[in-house]
Amino acid sequence: MRNWIIRYAVFIIGLYFLTLGVVLIIRSSLGTSPISSFSYVLSLNTPLTLGMATFILNMLLIAGQFWFLRGIGTRRDYMEIMMQIPFSLLFSAFLDINMYLFRDMTPESYAGALAFLAAGCLIQAFGVELEIKPNVVAMSGEGFVKYAARRFGKDFGRVKVMVDVGLVLLAVVTSLAMTHSIIGVREGTLVAALGVGLLVSFINTRLISHIPVHRILRR
């Protein structure tokens, strides 16, 4: 029981740091991470907050997972997907809380923007690592990729790239349709797409493995 409490606590802390990283990247004014790009564009052009738009996207991704599993899903698969719903709500709440807390934080120069971007990528990577290590719930983005890969017999990594690219393209098209310009997708989006994965690998191999909690989670 204690082990599971620790697992969920680490997972929730990871969600918070993940959203904090996303918000810092947004505050850099250099774009946002691919998974948040469409939600961010919606939040800029509708009454929806970033958290609300993200929750709607997550529900669509969850619906897609159910569709992928038709005829091949097990009871465990469906339970795993249902578990994503409350944590998607928590994730969305964390996003809006951090957007509010850092609402007045704006870099005064391009160098400052790059510093925000770097800090956001590092914190997001740390959050991803803490989210994944407890192995309790896969968030809707990872779940969507997982079950799409299973349905079509494709490699997880390749499907992940396709989904990320698709979300960025959707964000660009939506921005063009609503504002006749590209807002919310910039060079920071590409940096986040490439950099966060590398940072996750670095944190996993050089830092997390030396933390006692990591050994508890492996039992």
Side-chain angles (χ1 to χ4, degrees):
M1 181 65 180
R2 178 176 175 272
N3 181 263
W4 280 104
I5 292 174
I6 293 174
R7 285 175 180 271
Y8 276 99
V10 171
F11 176 77
I12 291 171
I13 292 170
L15 289 186
Y16 180 80
F17 278 104
L18 179 54
T19 61
L20 177 58
V22 169
V23 169
L24 288 178
I25 294 172
I26 288 173
R27 292 306 182 208
S28 75
S29 301
L30 297 178
T32 186
S33 57
I35 192 67
S36 301
S37 56
F38 176 63
S39 301
Y40 183 50
V41 168
L42 280 183
S43 72
L44 292 175
N45 297 285
T46 69
L48 297 172
T49 65
L50 177 62
M52 293 175 183
T54 299
F55 185 73
I56 291 171
L57 175 62
N58 284 339
M59 293 304 100
L60 293 175
L61 293 174
I62 287 172
Q65 292 174 62
F66 283 120
W67 186 80
F68 289 140
L69 283 177
R70 66 195 192 284
I72 63 172
T74 65
R75 182 179 179 181
R76 180 177 180 179
D77 291 329
Y78 290 114
M79 288 298 295
E80 287 181 356
I81 296 173
M82 292 299 294
M83 283 289 291
Q84 295 173 20
I85 297 176
F87 287 107
S88 293
L89 183 60
L90 182 62
F91 181 84
S92 299
F94 282 159
L95 276 174
D96 280 346
I97 289 171
N98 282 318
M99 287 292 285
Y100 177 78
L101 292 176
F102 295 93
R103 64 192 182 280
D104 297 325
M105 185 175 287
T106 305
E108 298 180 354
S109 64
Y110 192 74
L114 290 176
F116 272 56
L117 176 62
C121 288
L122 180 60
I123 292 172
Q124 186 178 359
F126 184 67
V128 168
E129 183 67 19
L130 292 182
E131 173 206 344
I132 293 174
K133 281 302 176 186
N135 193 28
V136 289
V137 180
M139 293 302 291
S140 58
E142 289 80 10
F144 184 86
V145 173
K146 172 184 174 181
Y147 292 120
R150 183 192 297 185
R151 163 59 65 176
F152 300 111
K154 301 295 184 180
D155 176 71
F156 180 94
R158 292 186 178 181
V159 176
K160 171 66 173 172
V161 171
M162 292 172 62
V163 171
D164 284 349
V165 170
L167 286 172
V168 172
L169 291 176
L170 182 59
V172 170
V173 171
T174 301
S175 182
L176 287 172
M178 289 184 166
T179 67
H180 303 292
S181 61
I182 300 176
I183 300 175
V185 178
R186 286 187 54 181
E187 62 270 31
T189 304
L190 178 60
V191 171
L194 299 175
V196 171
L198 295 175
L199 287 169
V200 168
S201 178
F202 174 80
I203 291 170
N204 181 43
T205 56
R206 300 296 179 88
L207 300 178
I208 295 295
S209 60
H210 302 297
I211 297 176
V213 171
H214 176 74
R215 292 195 292 270
I216 293 173
L217 295 178
R218 293 179 61 183
R219 291 177 183 172

